[in-house]
Amino acid sequence: MKDSTTAALPPVVHREAYQAEVDALRIREKAHTHEGDAIAAARRRLPMVEVDAGLTLTGPNGPLTLLDAFEGRKQLIAYYFMWHPGHPAAEQCQGCTWCNGNVGELSYLHSRDITYAVFCQGPYAESVRYRDFMGWPMPWYSAVDSLDDLLVGRKINMMHIVCYVRDEDRVFETWWTTIRGVEAMDNSYSLMDLTVYGQQEAHEDSPAGWPQQWEVGGLTADGRPISQWSRLEAGRSDELT
């Protein structure tokens, strides 16, 4: 991996010239924020489709329903976690590990009557060991038995975020996304993008000499998702089966 300490640097200018450039970019940043607000407003005006509230999931106490996964709250955000059956932790999805690993504090969601849960696309007993290996706090369920109905028209074993709302005992899907849409869950890349070198990945439009030693989606190091190293150092087992 290239040493970023030897990378090129931006030109040095006086404070006034620097601030003028920041002010010019700020106009575009504000426009971007306002467009995001407008898109969110449109999202709140989408129609919805009913989903069978009795669809079966598997959790720590055995079978439960989609409605049960709301935990009594009005709304549910479900992250559909890709799964590779029989594989150790090092070989589970780096993208899903990255996305889900950015979800730590759930109390703010709960304050808005929203439950966040993982709907894993693999068997419960094996996959929940991965949740425990990573030390994640969120509810974790297997959705294997109901994927055909939960992901109608979408590719099974692809990462998805799906949002639901309930009206008493009826459940409705209100929005979903996949691929780069799941970056809505990210904090790390968003913070990287605030720095001068950005994500340091080869796909980025950066000046000549900028460090770009990471491959696109550079979420692994030495053959495993980056966030797993601290778990190994803590003595957790890589084996899930």
Side-chain angles (χ1 to χ4, degrees):
M1 208 174 289
K2 194 185 298 180
D3 184 359
S4 62
T5 62
T6 63
L9 291 164
V12 178
V13 298
H14 291 296
R15 169 66 64 174
E16 293 79 8
Y18 162 77
Q19 191 59 49
E21 294 284 352
V22 171
D23 290 344
L25 183 61
R26 188 78 74 233
I27 294 170
R28 296 177 62 189
E29 290 175 339
K30 287 183 177 180
H32 179 73
T33 298
H34 293 158
E35 178 61 15
D37 291 341
I39 291 171
R43 191 179 293 117
R44 291 191 293 272
R45 289 165 172 79
L46 287 172
M48 61 187 184
V49 61
E50 187 161 9
V51 182
D52 182 357
L55 289 174
T56 302
L57 307 172
T58 303
N61 299 314
L64 70 157
T65 66
L66 175 60
L67 182 63
D68 292 331
F70 279 74
E71 296 183 337
R73 298 186 181 92
K74 181 71 173 178
Q75 298 184 86
L76 169 67
I77 299 172
Y79 182 83
Y80 284 77
F81 202 104
M82 296 172 63
W83 193 252
H84 303 299
H87 290 242
E91 297 173 14
Q92 295 305 327
C93 177
Q94 61 170 353
C96 289
T97 300
W98 160 63
C99 288
N100 203 61
N102 278 286
V103 181
E105 183 55 68
L106 301 174
S107 61
Y108 296 104
L109 293 173
H110 294 172
S111 75
R112 303 303 199 272
D113 214 14
I114 302 167
T115 293
Y116 175 87
V118 169
F119 284 13
C120 188
Q121 299 175 72
Y124 179 77
E126 182 179 282
S127 66
V128 78
R129 283 194 281 273
Y130 188 64
R131 193 273 308 266
D132 296 341
F133 170 80
M134 294 302 300
W136 290 331
M138 70 286 295
W140 187 282
Y141 307 111
S142 169
V144 167
D145 293 340
S146 300
L147 287 174
D148 288 338
D149 294 310
L150 288 166
L151 294 178
V152 173
R154 287 157 286 199
K155 185 177 179 180
I156 292 175
N157 214 27
M158 179 66 72
M159 57 178 64
H160 301 283
I161 302 171
V162 184
C163 295
Y164 303 94
V165 67
R166 71 182 181 93
D167 182 15
E168 296 184 351
D169 292 340
R170 299 175 69 190
V171 172
F172 302 87
E173 181 182 319
T174 61
W175 181 80
W176 71 278
T177 191
T178 188
I179 314 297
R180 288 199 64 187
V182 301
E183 291 180 13
M185 299 174 63
D186 166 63
N187 295 317
S188 298
Y189 270 15
S190 296
L191 290 172
M192 290 178 197
D193 280 339
L194 302 181
T195 70
V196 68
Y197 294 136
Q199 299 171 22
Q200 302 176 46
E201 294 184 0
H203 69 92
E204 290 181 289
D205 180 1
S206 295
W210 256 229
Q212 293 188 313
Q213 70 270 34
W214 292 91
E215 297 179 0
V216 176
L219 306 173
T220 62
D222 296 331
R224 67 169 59 243
I226 292 166
S227 59
Q228 291 185 2
W229 284 110
S230 62
R231 279 70 176 182
L232 291 178
E233 290 172 1
R236 299 178 189 172
S237 174
D238 216 11
E239 294 301 318
L240 306 177
T241 56

